[in-house]
Amino acid sequence: MNRKEFSALLSKRIKVFLLGVLMTLVSLFLVLAALNIFQTNSAEVSTYIFRLIVLIVGLIGFLFFGYTTLIVFILIITFRPALKIDKKGLTDRSTGMSTGFISYNQIKVVSNRQPYIVVHLKDPEVFLSKAPFYKRKYRELNKKLGYDYIMIELTMYDNQEINSIAKEINQRIRNTREDIEY
């Protein structure tokens, strides 16, 4: 079985990066405004609570959008394929919360949910326990919102192409199981 790679849409990543830069700058502005950088006169006591709330929102936004923007920037400059399938398994590098390598013997089945390849795991709890804390929480939140734990985004492919990719992965899963049984 040969190796196949599927790319992500670079223009979409660039748009997300630019939006992330904008949101990071807005969050930084909120932090600076809350710290009273732009004012020359002292604030009244009643505005301290408001400034504290703005500071907290700004800091959370700055950390979240700054981290996300950095990850998207790394995805742009490294330009690795979003999905790679080979004889051992598949490697997800589609987003900042991608899963990395998943062996075929961990996968129950793969399905198509345009524009995603959805990976249904045999034992999600074991797989999640090996993930870093923030990725585990992200996947648990996705599951609560009605999505699956692992969804590989392939926006540059149409529904028919994604369906073909899912069929090929499922065939490789079946072949792996047959090899183990014999």
Side-chain angles (χ1 to χ4, degrees), residues 35-82:
L35 293 174
N36 213 12
I37 300 296
F38 302 114
Q39 297 177 355
T40 56
N41 59 351
S42 61
E44 296 178 15
V45 176
S46 62
T47 63
Y48 286 131
I49 294 174
F50 176 73
R51 287 179 43 209
L52 180 63
I53 292 170
V54 171
L55 178 66
I56 291 170
V57 168
L59 284 173
I60 291 170
F62 183 76
L63 292 173
F64 174 77
F65 292 116
Y67 171 77
T68 305
T69 303
L70 178 65
I71 294 297
V72 173
F73 179 71
I74 291 169
L75 289 173
I76 289 171
I77 62 171
T78 58
F79 201 68
R80 294 182 291 184

Side-chain angles (χ1 to χ4, degrees), residues 26-180:
V26 167
S27 298
L28 181 61
F29 176 79
L30 288 175
V31 169
L32 295 175
L35 293 174
N36 213 12
I37 300 296
F38 302 114
Q39 297 177 355
T40 56
N41 59 351
S42 61
E44 296 178 15
V45 176
S46 62
T47 63
Y48 286 131
I49 294 174
F50 176 73
R51 287 179 43 209
L52 180 63
I53 292 170
V54 171
L55 178 66
I56 291 170
V57 168
L59 284 173
I60 291 170
F62 183 76
L63 292 173
F64 174 77
F65 292 116
Y67 171 77
T68 305
T69 303
L70 178 65
I71 294 297
V72 173
F73 179 71
I74 291 169
L75 289 173
I76 289 171
I77 62 171
T78 58
F79 201 68
R80 294 182 291 184
L83 174 64
K84 180 176 68 173
I85 56 175
D86 58 25
K87 63 182 180 178
K88 295 180 180 180
L90 55 95
T91 305
D92 168 27
R93 299 265 185 250
S94 60
T95 65
M97 290 293 180
S98 58
T99 54
F101 179 76
I102 310 167
S103 70
Y104 290 132
N105 58 11
Q106 293 176 307
I107 303 171
K108 186 182 339 178
V109 70
V110 171
S111 62
N112 173 4
R113 185 191 246 179
Q114 177 69 16
Y116 299 98
I117 295 282
V118 181
V119 180
H120 305 277
L121 299 170
K122 289 180 181 176
D123 194 354
E125 279 68 34
V126 170
F127 189 82
L128 287 175
S129 69
K130 296 175 184 174
F133 175 78
Y134 64 98
K135 286 187 179 183
R136 189 171 50 245
K137 291 302 175 190
Y138 170 79
R139 297 198 192 301
E140 289 170 358
L141 179 63
N142 263 0
K143 195 65 175 173
K144 286 179 185 176
L145 294 173
Y147 300 103
D148 288 285
Y149 288 117
I150 301 173
M151 298 179 69
I152 303 169
E153 185 177 356
L154 297 173
T155 52
M156 85 183 281
Y157 299 95
D158 65 21
N159 194 37
Q160 189 174 19
E161 291 170 313
I162 291 177
N163 205 27
S164 173
I165 295 167
K167 283 181 182 178
E168 181 172 348
I169 294 171
N170 282 324
Q171 182 60 46
R172 289 178 184 232
I173 293 168
R174 281 191 291 279
N175 291 345
T176 302
R177 288 185 186 140
E178 290 171 3
D179 291 344
I180 292 172

Side-chain angles (χ1 to χ4, degrees), residues 14-28:
I14 291 172
K15 288 176 188 175
V16 171
F17 171 73
L18 293 174
L19 183 61
V21 168
L22 175 68
M23 295 305 293
T24 303
L25 291 174
V26 167
S27 298
L28 181 61

